[in-house]
mmCIF file of all heavy atoms in Angstrom:
data_model
loop_
_atom_site.group_PDB
_atom_site.id
_atom_site.type_symbol
_atom_site.label_atom_id
_atom_site.label_comp_id
_atom_site.label_asym_id
_atom_site.label_seq_id
_atom_site.Cartn_x
_atom_site.Cartn_y
_atom_site.Cartn_z
ATOM 1 N N SER A 1 -16.937 -21.536 -14.009
ATOM 2 C CA SER A 1 -16.280 -21.764 -12.717
ATOM 3 C C SER A 1 -15.162 -20.754 -12.509
ATOM 4 O O SER A 1 -15.011 -20.168 -11.424
ATOM 5 C CB SER A 1 -15.715 -23.188 -12.659
ATOM 6 O OG SER A 1 -16.732 -24.149 -12.842
ATOM 7 N N PHE A 2 -14.370 -20.534 -13.568
ATOM 8 C CA PHE A 2 -13.269 -19.588 -13.473
ATOM 9 C C PHE A 2 -13.791 -18.154 -13.314
ATOM 10 O O PHE A 2 -13.247 -17.363 -12.547
ATOM 11 C CB PHE A 2 -12.379 -19.695 -14.710
ATOM 12 C CG PHE A 2 -11.201 -18.766 -14.696
ATOM 13 C CD1 PHE A 2 -10.207 -18.906 -13.737
ATOM 14 C CD2 PHE A 2 -11.078 -17.747 -15.623
ATOM 15 C CE1 PHE A 2 -9.119 -18.044 -13.704
ATOM 16 C CE2 PHE A 2 -10.003 -16.887 -15.608
ATOM 17 C CZ PHE A 2 -9.014 -17.031 -14.639
ATOM 18 N N ALA A 3 -14.876 -17.826 -14.046
ATOM 19 C CA ALA A 3 -15.470 -16.492 -13.934
ATOM 20 C C ALA A 3 -15.929 -16.226 -12.501
ATOM 21 O O ALA A 3 -15.775 -15.111 -11.979
ATOM 22 C CB ALA A 3 -16.638 -16.353 -14.902
ATOM 23 N N ALA A 4 -16.492 -17.251 -11.863
ATOM 24 C CA ALA A 4 -16.916 -17.105 -10.469
ATOM 25 C C ALA A 4 -15.715 -16.809 -9.582
ATOM 26 O O ALA A 4 -15.767 -15.951 -8.692
ATOM 27 C CB ALA A 4 -17.628 -18.368 -10.002
ATOM 28 N N GLY A 5 -14.623 -17.527 -9.842
ATOM 29 C CA GLY A 5 -13.410 -17.296 -9.063
ATOM 30 C C GLY A 5 -12.878 -15.891 -9.230
ATOM 31 O O GLY A 5 -12.383 -15.276 -8.278
ATOM 32 N N MET A 6 -12.988 -15.365 -10.457
ATOM 33 C CA MET A 6 -12.497 -14.001 -10.703
ATOM 34 C C MET A 6 -13.306 -12.967 -9.934
ATOM 35 O O MET A 6 -12.790 -11.933 -9.526
ATOM 36 C CB MET A 6 -12.528 -13.691 -12.197
ATOM 37 C CG MET A 6 -11.529 -14.492 -13.022
ATOM 38 S SD MET A 6 -9.810 -14.365 -12.422
ATOM 39 C CE MET A 6 -9.685 -15.790 -11.323
ATOM 40 N N ASN A 7 -14.589 -13.228 -9.705
ATOM 41 C CA ASN A 7 -15.390 -12.318 -8.886
ATOM 42 C C ASN A 7 -14.870 -12.277 -7.449
ATOM 43 O O ASN A 7 -15.059 -11.294 -6.733
ATOM 44 C CB ASN A 7 -16.863 -12.746 -8.897
ATOM 45 C CG ASN A 7 -17.529 -12.417 -10.222
ATOM 46 O OD1 ASN A 7 -17.226 -11.409 -10.838
ATOM 47 N ND2 ASN A 7 -18.429 -13.285 -10.663
ATOM 48 N N GLY A 8 -14.220 -13.369 -7.052
ATOM 49 C CA GLY A 8 -13.621 -13.409 -5.719
ATOM 50 C C GLY A 8 -12.427 -12.478 -5.577
ATOM 51 O O GLY A 8 -11.948 -12.235 -4.462
ATOM 52 N N LEU A 9 -11.933 -11.953 -6.699
ATOM 53 C CA LEU A 9 -10.797 -11.035 -6.665
ATOM 54 C C LEU A 9 -11.226 -9.575 -6.517
ATOM 55 O O LEU A 9 -10.394 -8.675 -6.542
ATOM 56 C CB LEU A 9 -9.973 -11.169 -7.958
ATOM 57 C CG LEU A 9 -9.249 -12.496 -8.178
ATOM 58 C CD1 LEU A 9 -8.600 -12.520 -9.554
ATOM 59 C CD2 LEU A 9 -8.199 -12.724 -7.106
ATOM 60 N N ALA A 10 -12.525 -9.339 -6.373
ATOM 61 C CA ALA A 10 -13.033 -7.970 -6.387
ATOM 62 C C ALA A 10 -12.795 -7.212 -5.078
ATOM 63 O O ALA A 10 -12.809 -5.985 -5.062
ATOM 64 C CB ALA A 10 -14.535 -7.971 -6.709
ATOM 65 N N GLY A 11 -12.588 -7.941 -3.994
ATOM 66 C CA GLY A 11 -12.487 -7.278 -2.693
ATOM 67 C C GLY A 11 -11.082 -6.823 -2.340
ATOM 68 O O GLY A 11 -10.094 -7.348 -2.864
ATOM 69 N N PRO A 12 -10.956 -5.852 -1.439
ATOM 70 C CA PRO A 12 -9.645 -5.299 -1.082
ATOM 71 C C PRO A 12 -8.734 -6.264 -0.337
ATOM 72 O O PRO A 12 -7.535 -6.034 -0.244
ATOM 73 C CB PRO A 12 -10.006 -4.095 -0.197
ATOM 74 C CG PRO A 12 -11.353 -4.422 0.351
ATOM 75 C CD PRO A 12 -12.056 -5.169 -0.752
ATOM 76 N N LEU A 13 -9.276 -7.372 0.204
ATOM 77 C CA LEU A 13 -8.444 -8.311 0.946
ATOM 78 C C LEU A 13 -7.831 -9.400 0.078
ATOM 79 O O LEU A 13 -7.026 -10.193 0.558
ATOM 80 C CB LEU A 13 -9.269 -8.975 2.068
ATOM 81 C CG LEU A 13 -9.829 -8.030 3.123
ATOM 82 C CD1 LEU A 13 -10.556 -8.825 4.205
ATOM 83 C CD2 LEU A 13 -8.730 -7.181 3.741
ATOM 84 N N HIS A 14 -8.199 -9.446 -1.200
ATOM 85 C CA HIS A 14 -7.671 -10.521 -2.054
ATOM 86 C C HIS A 14 -7.125 -9.918 -3.346
ATOM 87 O O HIS A 14 -5.971 -9.525 -3.408
ATOM 88 C CB HIS A 14 -8.771 -11.555 -2.319
ATOM 89 C CG HIS A 14 -8.272 -12.815 -2.957
ATOM 90 N ND1 HIS A 14 -7.024 -13.344 -2.718
ATOM 91 C CD2 HIS A 14 -8.855 -13.661 -3.843
ATOM 92 C CE1 HIS A 14 -6.873 -14.468 -3.417
ATOM 93 N NE2 HIS A 14 -7.962 -14.670 -4.117
ATOM 94 N N GLY A 15 -7.925 -9.787 -4.360
ATOM 95 C CA GLY A 15 -7.433 -9.321 -5.648
ATOM 96 C C GLY A 15 -6.966 -7.885 -5.661
ATOM 97 O O GLY A 15 -6.110 -7.504 -6.458
ATOM 98 N N LEU A 16 -7.510 -7.071 -4.775
ATOM 99 C CA LEU A 16 -7.142 -5.662 -4.753
ATOM 100 C C LEU A 16 -6.089 -5.350 -3.692
ATOM 101 O O LEU A 16 -5.746 -4.191 -3.474
ATOM 102 C CB LEU A 16 -8.377 -4.791 -4.501
ATOM 103 C CG LEU A 16 -9.542 -4.940 -5.483
ATOM 104 C CD1 LEU A 16 -10.642 -3.952 -5.145
ATOM 105 C CD2 LEU A 16 -9.072 -4.741 -6.915
ATOM 106 N N ALA A 17 -5.555 -6.374 -3.069
ATOM 107 C CA ALA A 17 -4.655 -6.153 -1.935
ATOM 108 C C ALA A 17 -3.400 -5.383 -2.329
ATOM 109 O O ALA A 17 -2.958 -4.485 -1.593
ATOM 110 C CB ALA A 17 -4.271 -7.489 -1.301
ATOM 111 N N ASN A 18 -2.798 -5.714 -3.482
ATOM 112 C CA ASN A 18 -1.569 -4.992 -3.834
ATOM 113 C C ASN A 18 -1.856 -3.542 -4.196
ATOM 114 O O ASN A 18 -1.012 -2.663 -4.028
ATOM 115 C CB ASN A 18 -0.797 -5.713 -4.940
ATOM 116 C CG ASN A 18 -1.490 -5.698 -6.280
ATOM 117 O OD1 ASN A 18 -2.696 -5.489 -6.381
ATOM 118 N ND2 ASN A 18 -0.720 -5.942 -7.329
ATOM 119 N N GLN A 19 -3.073 -3.251 -4.664
ATOM 120 C CA GLN A 19 -3.445 -1.875 -4.927
ATOM 121 C C GLN A 19 -3.581 -1.097 -3.609
ATOM 122 O O GLN A 19 -3.206 0.074 -3.529
ATOM 123 C CB GLN A 19 -4.758 -1.808 -5.701
ATOM 124 C CG GLN A 19 -4.647 -2.355 -7.126
ATOM 125 C CD GLN A 19 -6.004 -2.485 -7.797
ATOM 126 O OE1 GLN A 19 -6.406 -3.566 -8.187
ATOM 127 N NE2 GLN A 19 -6.702 -1.386 -7.940
ATOM 128 N N GLU A 20 -4.125 -1.756 -2.599
ATOM 129 C CA GLU A 20 -4.242 -1.124 -1.291
ATOM 130 C C GLU A 20 -2.860 -0.823 -0.710
ATOM 131 O O GLU A 20 -2.640 0.224 -0.099
ATOM 132 C CB GLU A 20 -5.028 -2.033 -0.335
ATOM 133 C CG GLU A 20 -6.488 -2.238 -0.721
ATOM 134 C CD GLU A 20 -7.286 -0.951 -0.644
ATOM 135 O OE1 GLU A 20 -7.154 -0.227 0.365
ATOM 136 O OE2 GLU A 20 -8.016 -0.650 -1.603
ATOM 137 N N VAL A 21 -1.925 -1.757 -0.905
ATOM 138 C CA VAL A 21 -0.559 -1.546 -0.425
ATOM 139 C C VAL A 21 0.085 -0.373 -1.157
ATOM 140 O O VAL A 21 0.734 0.476 -0.546
ATOM 141 C CB VAL A 21 0.295 -2.819 -0.621
ATOM 142 C CG1 VAL A 21 1.773 -2.524 -0.325
ATOM 143 C CG2 VAL A 21 -0.197 -3.939 0.272
ATOM 144 N N LEU A 22 -0.102 -0.327 -2.467
ATOM 145 C CA LEU A 22 0.474 0.747 -3.270
ATOM 146 C C LEU A 22 -0.077 2.109 -2.840
ATOM 147 O O LEU A 22 0.662 3.099 -2.731
ATOM 148 C CB LEU A 22 0.189 0.491 -4.752
ATOM 149 C CG LEU A 22 0.931 1.355 -5.774
ATOM 150 C CD1 LEU A 22 2.440 1.263 -5.566
ATOM 151 C CD2 LEU A 22 0.569 0.905 -7.185
ATOM 152 N N LYS A 23 -1.376 2.154 -2.575
ATOM 153 C CA LYS A 23 -2.001 3.388 -2.092
ATOM 154 C C LYS A 23 -1.388 3.796 -0.753
ATOM 155 O O LYS A 23 -1.103 4.980 -0.506
ATOM 156 C CB LYS A 23 -3.508 3.173 -1.948
ATOM 157 C CG LYS A 23 -4.302 4.420 -1.592
ATOM 158 C CD LYS A 23 -5.754 4.076 -1.291
ATOM 159 C CE LYS A 23 -6.424 3.346 -2.443
ATOM 160 N NZ LYS A 23 -7.853 3.027 -2.141
ATOM 161 N N PHE A 24 -1.173 2.800 0.110
ATOM 162 C CA PHE A 24 -0.560 3.058 1.416
ATOM 163 C C PHE A 24 0.867 3.584 1.264
ATOM 164 O O PHE A 24 1.258 4.551 1.931
ATOM 165 C CB PHE A 24 -0.563 1.776 2.248
ATOM 166 C CG PHE A 24 0.252 1.850 3.508
ATOM 167 C CD1 PHE A 24 -0.257 2.464 4.639
ATOM 168 C CD2 PHE A 24 1.534 1.306 3.558
ATOM 169 C CE1 PHE A 24 0.500 2.542 5.804
ATOM 170 C CE2 PHE A 24 2.296 1.389 4.715
ATOM 171 C CZ PHE A 24 1.772 2.004 5.839
ATOM 172 N N LEU A 25 1.654 2.970 0.379
ATOM 173 C CA LEU A 25 3.046 3.370 0.188
ATOM 174 C C LEU A 25 3.152 4.805 -0.331
ATOM 175 O O LEU A 25 3.980 5.589 0.142
ATOM 176 C CB LEU A 25 3.738 2.418 -0.793
ATOM 177 C CG LEU A 25 3.992 0.985 -0.313
ATOM 178 C CD1 LEU A 25 4.526 0.128 -1.456
ATOM 179 C CD2 LEU A 25 4.967 0.971 0.862
ATOM 180 N N ARG A 26 2.297 5.138 -1.277
ATOM 181 C CA ARG A 26 2.319 6.501 -1.824
ATOM 182 C C ARG A 26 1.899 7.516 -0.766
ATOM 183 O O ARG A 26 2.473 8.599 -0.661
ATOM 184 C CB ARG A 26 1.401 6.570 -3.037
ATOM 185 C CG ARG A 26 2.004 5.907 -4.278
ATOM 186 C CD ARG A 26 1.006 5.812 -5.394
ATOM 187 N NE ARG A 26 1.631 5.437 -6.657
ATOM 188 C CZ ARG A 26 0.980 4.919 -7.688
ATOM 189 N NH1 ARG A 26 -0.323 4.699 -7.592
ATOM 190 N NH2 ARG A 26 1.619 4.617 -8.798
ATOM 191 N N GLY A 27 0.899 7.154 0.023
ATOM 192 C CA GLY A 27 0.477 8.037 1.103
ATOM 193 C C GLY A 27 1.571 8.204 2.142
ATOM 194 O O GLY A 27 1.783 9.304 2.672
ATOM 195 N N LEU A 28 2.276 7.101 2.412
ATOM 196 C CA LEU A 28 3.364 7.141 3.386
ATOM 197 C C LEU A 28 4.492 8.033 2.889
ATOM 198 O O LEU A 28 5.056 8.822 3.654
ATOM 199 C CB LEU A 28 3.875 5.722 3.633
ATOM 200 C CG LEU A 28 4.957 5.535 4.697
ATOM 201 C CD1 LEU A 28 4.490 6.074 6.046
ATOM 202 C CD2 LEU A 28 5.334 4.059 4.816
ATOM 203 N N GLN A 29 4.817 7.932 1.607
ATOM 204 C CA GLN A 29 5.847 8.795 1.029
ATOM 205 C C GLN A 29 5.481 10.265 1.203
ATOM 206 O O GLN A 29 6.321 11.089 1.574
ATOM 207 C CB GLN A 29 6.031 8.480 -0.459
ATOM 208 C CG GLN A 29 6.840 7.227 -0.751
ATOM 209 C CD GLN A 29 7.039 7.014 -2.237
ATOM 210 O OE1 GLN A 29 6.123 7.230 -3.031
ATOM 211 N NE2 GLN A 29 8.219 6.588 -2.626
ATOM 212 N N GLU A 30 4.220 10.567 0.960
ATOM 213 C CA GLU A 30 3.757 11.954 1.071
ATOM 214 C C GLU A 30 3.814 12.440 2.508
ATOM 215 O O GLU A 30 4.238 13.571 2.791
ATOM 216 C CB GLU A 30 2.331 12.060 0.522
ATOM 217 C CG GLU A 30 1.808 13.482 0.442
ATOM 218 C CD GLU A 30 0.451 13.569 -0.233
ATOM 219 O OE1 GLU A 30 0.097 12.649 -0.996
ATOM 220 O OE2 GLU A 30 -0.259 14.569 0.013
ATOM 221 N N GLU A 31 3.392 11.585 3.434
ATOM 222 C CA GLU A 31 3.404 11.954 4.849
ATOM 223 C C GLU A 31 4.830 12.182 5.355
ATOM 224 O O GLU A 31 5.055 12.983 6.272
ATOM 225 C CB GLU A 31 2.720 10.863 5.677
ATOM 226 C CG GLU A 31 1.215 10.781 5.453
ATOM 227 C CD GLU A 31 0.589 9.568 6.124
ATOM 228 O OE1 GLU A 31 1.273 8.958 6.978
ATOM 229 O OE2 GLU A 31 -0.557 9.228 5.800
ATOM 230 N N LEU A 32 5.790 11.470 4.754
ATOM 231 C CA LEU A 32 7.194 11.604 5.156
ATOM 232 C C LEU A 32 7.907 12.709 4.386
ATOM 233 O O LEU A 32 9.131 12.870 4.507
ATOM 234 C CB LEU A 32 7.925 10.271 4.951
ATOM 235 C CG LEU A 32 7.452 9.109 5.826
ATOM 236 C CD1 LEU A 32 8.111 7.813 5.389
ATOM 237 C CD2 LEU A 32 7.755 9.386 7.302
ATOM 238 N N GLY A 33 7.150 13.451 3.589
ATOM 239 C CA GLY A 33 7.736 14.563 2.851
ATOM 240 C C GLY A 33 8.518 14.140 1.632
ATOM 241 O O GLY A 33 9.404 14.884 1.171
ATOM 242 N N ASN A 34 8.211 12.963 1.088
ATOM 243 C CA ASN A 34 8.892 12.454 -0.108
ATOM 244 C C ASN A 34 10.411 12.474 0.040
ATOM 245 O O ASN A 34 11.147 12.877 -0.857
ATOM 246 C CB ASN A 34 8.469 13.262 -1.344
ATOM 247 C CG ASN A 34 7.014 13.034 -1.697
ATOM 248 O OD1 ASN A 34 6.573 11.904 -1.882
ATOM 249 N ND2 ASN A 34 6.250 14.118 -1.777
ATOM 250 N N ARG A 35 10.857 12.033 1.212
ATOM 251 C CA ARG A 35 12.299 11.972 1.462
ATOM 252 C C ARG A 35 12.630 10.656 2.155
ATOM 253 O O ARG A 35 11.754 9.995 2.722
ATOM 254 C CB ARG A 35 12.724 13.146 2.357
ATOM 255 C CG ARG A 35 11.998 13.160 3.706
ATOM 256 C CD ARG A 35 12.295 14.400 4.523
ATOM 257 N NE ARG A 35 11.489 14.425 5.746
ATOM 258 C CZ ARG A 35 11.833 13.801 6.873
ATOM 259 N NH1 ARG A 35 12.980 13.147 6.947
ATOM 260 N NH2 ARG A 35 11.040 13.860 7.939
ATOM 261 N N GLU A 36 13.891 10.279 2.076
ATOM 262 C CA GLU A 36 14.326 9.073 2.773
ATOM 263 C C GLU A 36 14.489 9.400 4.254
ATOM 264 O O GLU A 36 15.002 10.459 4.608
ATOM 265 C CB GLU A 36 15.644 8.563 2.183
ATOM 266 C CG GLU A 36 15.501 8.035 0.764
ATOM 267 C CD GLU A 36 16.767 7.353 0.260
ATOM 268 O OE1 GLU A 36 17.623 7.008 1.111
ATOM 269 O OE2 GLU A 36 16.897 7.173 -0.963
ATOM 270 N N VAL A 37 14.032 8.477 5.089
ATOM 271 C CA VAL A 37 14.101 8.696 6.542
ATOM 272 C C VAL A 37 14.829 7.533 7.196
ATOM 273 O O VAL A 37 15.020 6.473 6.591
ATOM 274 C CB VAL A 37 12.687 8.836 7.154
ATOM 275 C CG1 VAL A 37 11.962 10.042 6.580
ATOM 276 C CG2 VAL A 37 11.871 7.557 6.931
ATOM 277 N N SER A 38 15.225 7.723 8.421
ATOM 278 C CA SER A 38 15.885 6.659 9.172
ATOM 279 C C SER A 38 14.867 5.606 9.594
ATOM 280 O O SER A 38 13.655 5.860 9.599
ATOM 281 C CB SER A 38 16.559 7.235 10.413
ATOM 282 O OG SER A 38 15.579 7.733 11.318
ATOM 283 N N ASN A 39 15.365 4.437 9.967
ATOM 284 C CA ASN A 39 14.472 3.386 10.457
ATOM 285 C C ASN A 39 13.738 3.834 11.711
ATOM 286 O O ASN A 39 12.570 3.484 11.926
ATOM 287 C CB ASN A 39 15.267 2.112 10.750
ATOM 288 C CG ASN A 39 15.594 1.336 9.489
ATOM 289 O OD1 ASN A 39 15.306 1.781 8.371
ATOM 290 N ND2 ASN A 39 16.204 0.174 9.652
ATOM 291 N N GLU A 40 14.407 4.627 12.526
ATOM 292 C CA GLU A 40 13.793 5.100 13.765
ATOM 293 C C GLU A 40 12.609 6.023 13.470
ATOM 294 O O GLU A 40 11.554 5.909 14.098
ATOM 295 C CB GLU A 40 14.824 5.837 14.627
ATOM 296 C CG GLU A 40 15.911 4.952 15.224
ATOM 297 C CD GLU A 40 16.931 4.471 14.204
ATOM 298 O OE1 GLU A 40 17.052 5.116 13.131
ATOM 299 O OE2 GLU A 40 17.587 3.448 14.474
ATOM 300 N N GLU A 41 12.784 6.910 12.499
ATOM 301 C CA GLU A 41 11.699 7.821 12.147
ATOM 302 C C GLU A 41 10.545 7.071 11.500
ATOM 303 O O GLU A 41 9.371 7.349 11.770
ATOM 304 C CB GLU A 41 12.201 8.908 11.194
ATOM 305 C CG GLU A 41 11.164 9.982 10.911
ATOM 306 C CD GLU A 41 11.702 11.134 10.086
ATOM 307 O OE1 GLU A 41 12.936 11.209 9.903
ATOM 308 O OE2 GLU A 41 10.885 11.967 9.632
ATOM 309 N N LEU A 42 10.879 6.094 10.666
ATOM 310 C CA LEU A 42 9.828 5.295 10.027
ATOM 311 C C LEU A 42 9.074 4.477 11.070
ATOM 312 O O LEU A 42 7.848 4.352 11.005
ATOM 313 C CB LEU A 42 10.433 4.372 8.965
ATOM 314 C CG LEU A 42 9.444 3.497 8.187
ATOM 315 C CD1 LEU A 42 8.418 4.358 7.447
ATOM 316 C CD2 LEU A 42 10.172 2.589 7.203
ATOM 317 N N ALA A 43 9.802 3.933 12.040
ATOM 318 C CA ALA A 43 9.164 3.150 13.106
ATOM 319 C C ALA A 43 8.202 4.016 13.909
ATOM 320 O O ALA A 43 7.089 3.594 14.235
ATOM 321 C CB ALA A 43 10.225 2.547 14.022
ATOM 322 N N ALA A 44 8.615 5.244 14.221
ATOM 323 C CA ALA A 44 7.754 6.158 14.966
ATOM 324 C C ALA A 44 6.494 6.466 14.168
ATOM 325 O O ALA A 44 5.383 6.551 14.726
ATOM 326 C CB ALA A 44 8.513 7.451 15.277
ATOM 327 N N HIS A 45 6.650 6.592 12.852
ATOM 328 C CA HIS A 45 5.496 6.880 12.000
ATOM 329 C C HIS A 45 4.561 5.664 11.947
ATOM 330 O O HIS A 45 3.340 5.820 11.957
ATOM 331 C CB HIS A 45 5.971 7.239 10.596
ATOM 332 C CG HIS A 45 4.961 7.993 9.802
ATOM 333 N ND1 HIS A 45 4.715 9.340 9.975
ATOM 334 C CD2 HIS A 45 4.087 7.584 8.843
ATOM 335 C CE1 HIS A 45 3.760 9.728 9.152
ATOM 336 N NE2 HIS A 45 3.363 8.686 8.450
#
């Protein structure tokens, strides 16, 4: 039963969700030139 539940963690919307967020954050850092930006600039992005 537990093994079946673990298979439910295979998709990007559940078990892989934090990995998707991490990928997004790293991509966002790169797009912003790896620098700190203002809230206004981040909002525009």
Side-chain angles (χ1 to χ4, degrees):
S1 301
F2 181 64
M6 292 306 93
N7 286 325
L9 294 174
L13 299 183
H14 191 33
L16 303 184
N18 68 340
Q19 292 171 240
E20 294 295 314
V21 171
L22 191 56
K23 186 187 304 181
F24 170 80
L25 291 173
R26 285 172 168 160
L28 184 57
Q29 282 183 320
E30 187 174 338
E31 290 172 14
L32 295 172
N34 292 305
R35 59 187 175 84
E36 292 188 17
V37 298
S38 66
N39 281 5
E40 291 73 21
E41 187 174 349
L42 181 59
H45 200 78

